[in-house]
Amino acid sequence: MKRPLLNRRLDGLGTSIFAEMSARAVATGAVNLGQGFPDVDGPPEIAAVAATAVLTGKGNQYPPGPGIPELRKAVAGHQRRFYGLTYDPDTEVLITAGATEAIAAALLALLEPGDEVIAFEPYYDSYAANIAMAGATRVPVTLRAPAFRPDLQKLREAITDKTRLILLNSPHNPTGMVLTRAETQAIADLATAHDLLVVTDEVYEHLVYDRAHIPLASLPGMRERTVSVSSAGKAFSFTGWKVGWVTGTPEIVNAVRTTKQFLTFVSSGPFQYAVADALALPDAYFATLAEDLKKKRDLFAAGLAEIGFQVYQPDGTYFITTDAAPLGATDGIEFCLSLPERAGVVAIPSAVFYDDREAGRTQVRFAFCKRTEILEEALSRLAVLAR
């Protein structure tokens, strides 16, 4: 079977894996468990704020470059409320077009050609493209099944005199790994000892099930060298709004803003007002969100295991990584390419998130952020693989 896109390395070329597989879902009528977006909208009262903003002319023209003051204050309040971190909303908070732009702007602003960037693989596909666009070199440290815990010795050995920063993602996409406090502290110690910057992708910060999320910036000595990135899409189930943010020191935020202005300039005007309100939702909202997704994780993980997949239970995020080898698969890409026709389900082959393709050759990632009846339908369809 011809596959001109899926077999490319993720170096910023070609269509993304998510677009390719979502197109297959549409073409085949398959249940799409590939891309990480919910199939229901977030709180209606937050959607109403966005609608009112549009109808009353709030944000319909260019918003301020750093983001509207209401949202910058809300982001600072969120960081203080959940993590005890204090940021000046005027100089230490920047609003972006989702976390994807935030990461791109940060890497383009902070890297020079020839710099090295350490990242745990498998990694989200934009990381490789962003590092390449900056003229830097990615240096992967592989997270390996079944636990996908970071090998801190390998991380230490990966640091050279060319290392500029560590790109850290926890809760981790695609494996669902959440760093422990001890692991987070060990990474902080390395960053401090080698005078490294750290860009942290924390978009799944509120989607944790078995351990707490510990922001790297909350550890001693790390606020000054950490670019913290998050967004509203995952926490509030409005992924199409593309509202993200960066927090850091004035020097860091100013550098990122200088680059960001030549990417989107500004974005998501009316939605910024809605996200400002969303960040003030009560603790019960965030707890219920995590509890609901944990139930879906447990349901879907049990079903996949019964079918015959080897299931690697995630600590957080929207995703379950499995190994399809027990079902006879020898190549996860070929397995996922055939899955829509075989079983009417779309998944993502984990190998495309690795430089070391062998480490994830037969792994397959499913998104479980769907309605329970959709997950049950997917399991019913996937049951054909067990026959």
Side-chain angles (χ1 to χ4, degrees), residues 39-321:
D39 57 358
V40 294
D41 289 342
E45 66 271 27
I46 301 303
V49 175
T52 299
V54 171
L55 293 173
T56 59
K58 296 173 67 176
N60 291 337
Q61 308 306 325
Y62 294 135
I68 64 168
E70 293 90 338
L71 180 52
R72 285 184 279 120
K73 290 177 182 176
V75 169
H78 171 275
Q79 298 299 81
R80 183 172 57 252
R81 170 186 172 189
F82 286 99
Y83 309 123
L85 287 163
T86 300
Y87 290 99
D88 183 336
D90 293 327
T91 62
E92 297 185 311
V93 179
L94 173 67
I95 306 306
T96 61
T100 302
E101 187 198 34
I103 294 165
L107 295 179
L108 289 170
L110 300 174
L111 293 174
E112 298 288 345
D115 286 343
E116 292 180 349
V117 178
I118 298 173
F120 290 124
E121 67 167 349
Y123 30 61
Y124 183 61
D125 63 346
S126 78
Y127 294 178
N130 294 159
I131 294 167
M133 286 190 285
T137 300
R138 64 183 183 270
V139 178
V141 174
T142 306
L143 303 175
R144 299 187 183 277
F148 298 108
R149 307 313 311 174
D151 186 328
L152 297 173
Q153 180 58 34
K154 294 289 187 184
L155 175 62
R156 187 175 295 106
E157 293 169 356
I159 298 172
T160 72
D161 58 2
K162 294 182 179 180
T163 306
R164 171 65 170 162
L165 63 81
I166 298 172
L167 177 52
L168 189 65
N169 177 208
S170 179
H172 183 262
N173 174 14
T175 69
M177 180 273 296
V178 176
L179 291 172
T180 65
R181 179 172 289 278
E183 289 165 342
T184 307
Q185 183 64 62
I187 294 168
D189 291 343
L190 287 173
T192 302
H194 295 275
D195 194 23
L196 303 178
L197 295 170
V198 185
V199 176
T200 65
D201 176 353
E202 303 176 37
V203 298
Y204 294 99
E205 60 188 318
H206 291 294
L207 310 184
V208 291
Y209 316 124
D210 300 318
R211 58 172 53 93
H213 168 60
I214 309 297
L216 190 72
S218 67
L219 298 184
M222 291 309 298
R223 185 188 185 283
E224 296 74 20
R225 62 178 69 248
T226 301
V227 186
S228 300
V229 173
S230 195
S231 74
K234 305 304 190 293
F236 304 111
S237 300
F238 288 118
T239 58
W241 289 6
K242 296 302 291 179
V243 180
W245 50 84
V246 170
T247 55
T249 65
E251 295 78 13
I252 285 174
V253 168
N254 184 60
V256 177
R257 182 172 61 245
T258 300
T259 300
K260 180 257 190 301
Q261 68 183 334
F262 297 113
L263 297 177
T264 61
F265 182 49
V266 294
S267 61
S268 312
F271 299 128
Q272 292 191 31
Y273 292 92
V275 173
D277 278 21
L279 287 169
L281 286 170
D283 291 355
Y285 167 79
F286 297 96
T288 299
L289 174 71
E291 289 167 3
D292 178 63
L293 282 165
K294 183 176 182 180
K295 290 176 183 176
K296 292 177 178 179
R297 177 202 68 174
D298 293 346
L299 167 75
F300 201 58
L304 290 171
E306 186 174 343
I307 290 165
F309 288 93
Q310 183 174 357
V311 176
Y312 305 122
Q313 184 106 317
D315 301 323
T317 78
Y318 282 161
F319 307 111
I320 290 178
T321 295

Side-chain angles (χ1 to χ4, degrees), residues 1-23:
M1 179 183 296
K2 186 178 180 182
R3 43 185 174 90
L5 299 174
L6 287 177
N7 61 359
R8 291 181 180 176
R9 297 177 68 83
L10 292 174
D11 55 5
L13 301 176
T15 304
S16 80
I17 182 66
F18 306 110
E20 180 77 3
M21 296 308 292
S22 290

